[in-house]
Amino acid sequence: MKIYLCLLFITLLTACSDSVTLTPLNQQQPILAFGDSLTSGRGAEKQQSYPVQLGLLLDKQVINAGVNGETSQQGLKRLLKLLDQYQPQLLILCHGGNDILQNRNLDKMQDNLAQMIEMAQNRGIEVVLLSVPEASIFLPDIEQYQTLAKKYQIPLGNDIMRDVLKKPALHSDTVHPNAQGYRLIAQGVYDLLAAYGALD
């Protein structure tokens, strides 16, 4: 486990761009974890979701705003109210999994995610993007996530979900992690935040 985490952290550091950094987290504003069932924690108890476990690692409020079965189009309609309600310092965006599973147009998914990112950035809220891999045996990358991260100059957790989803022992079903899987996702996000300066 320690070797895995060390390798993950090295990978994250290697992927960091000198031009992309995050503001150190404060204790006044929460983090908003926004997404679908991978965020809500389907397949595990509520307190075992990755946002709850991340909050424990950070000793900071992380709001779980995940909704099971939600598409990016539905998420786009929901996000604005939450941003205004919670006024988070940071948005962790992990969305699009249901678009992928339902074979929806991925360029449209990209446009929906782009609007979510702009919605946050226009309010001075920093964004971290977590990618979801293609739903096939080798879990290849979805290029739309890389495009978004580059365009908006935001950190991308490209392997965090895939590293969990490719291991059956970390599954609760064919597409959702179990409690241990969500714990590793939380650790991966924690390491990503550290790599980009949010924990300085």
Side-chain angles (χ1 to χ4, degrees):
M1 182 60 64
K2 290 182 179 178
I3 294 174
Y4 167 79
L5 293 175
C6 288
L7 289 174
L8 175 61
F9 188 68
I10 291 170
T11 300
L12 292 171
L13 285 174
T14 303
C16 287
S17 167
D18 291 339
S19 62
V20 179
T21 58
L22 294 170
T23 303
L25 296 175
N26 63 53
Q27 287 300 323
Q28 289 71 48
Q29 295 172 278
I31 293 172
L32 181 67
F34 186 82
D36 48 38
S37 57
L38 291 174
T39 298
S40 71
R42 183 169 182 174
E45 297 295 327
K46 184 177 181 180
Q47 67 271 19
Q48 296 170 328
S49 67
Y50 100 74
V52 171
Q53 298 197 63
L54 178 63
L56 294 174
L57 289 172
L58 293 171
D59 190 23
K60 179 176 173 62
Q61 183 183 16
V62 179
I63 296 163
N64 186 336
V67 170
N68 294 338
E70 185 175 74
T71 64
S72 63
Q73 184 176 6
Q74 293 169 324
L76 177 60
K77 295 177 181 178
R78 188 168 63 93
L79 179 59
L80 179 60
K81 181 179 179 180
L82 294 173
L83 293 178
D84 289 343
Q85 177 182 354
Y86 293 110
Q87 299 183 19
Q89 178 184 3
L90 177 69
L91 170 68
I92 301 176
L93 179 60
C94 180
H95 225 306
N98 290 304
D99 297 66
I100 297 166
L101 289 173
Q102 296 171 21
N103 294 312
R104 298 193 175 214
N105 185 301
L106 295 185
D107 289 334
K108 179 58 178 174
M109 178 196 78
Q110 178 180 324
D111 181 63
N112 291 334
L113 294 177
Q115 291 184 64
M116 294 184 204
I117 293 167
E118 291 178 7
M119 197 179 291
Q121 289 184 336
N122 288 342
R123 287 162 175 76
I125 300 167
E126 294 183 314
V127 181
V128 168
L129 183 63
L130 304 183
S131 67
V132 180
E134 187 177 320
S136 65
I137 189 169
F138 296 112
L139 300 173
D141 291 341
I142 301 290
E143 65 179 14
Q144 281 80 2
Y145 290 103
Q146 283 77 22
T147 299
L148 287 166
K150 183 176 180 180
K151 177 179 179 180
Y152 292 102
Q153 288 291 285
I154 58 176
L156 173 65
N158 193 52
D159 298 324
I160 294 172
M161 291 294 173
R162 178 171 54 210
D163 286 347
V164 169
L165 295 175
K166 71 182 181 183
K167 298 178 181 178
L170 301 176
H171 286 201
S172 63
D173 58 33
T174 56
V175 296
H176 296 101
N178 56 25
Q180 184 183 2
Y182 285 120
R183 182 172 62 82
L184 291 176
I185 291 169
Q187 184 66 56
V189 176
Y190 180 93
D191 291 341
L192 183 70
L193 295 178
Y196 281 91
L199 306 187
D200 290 348

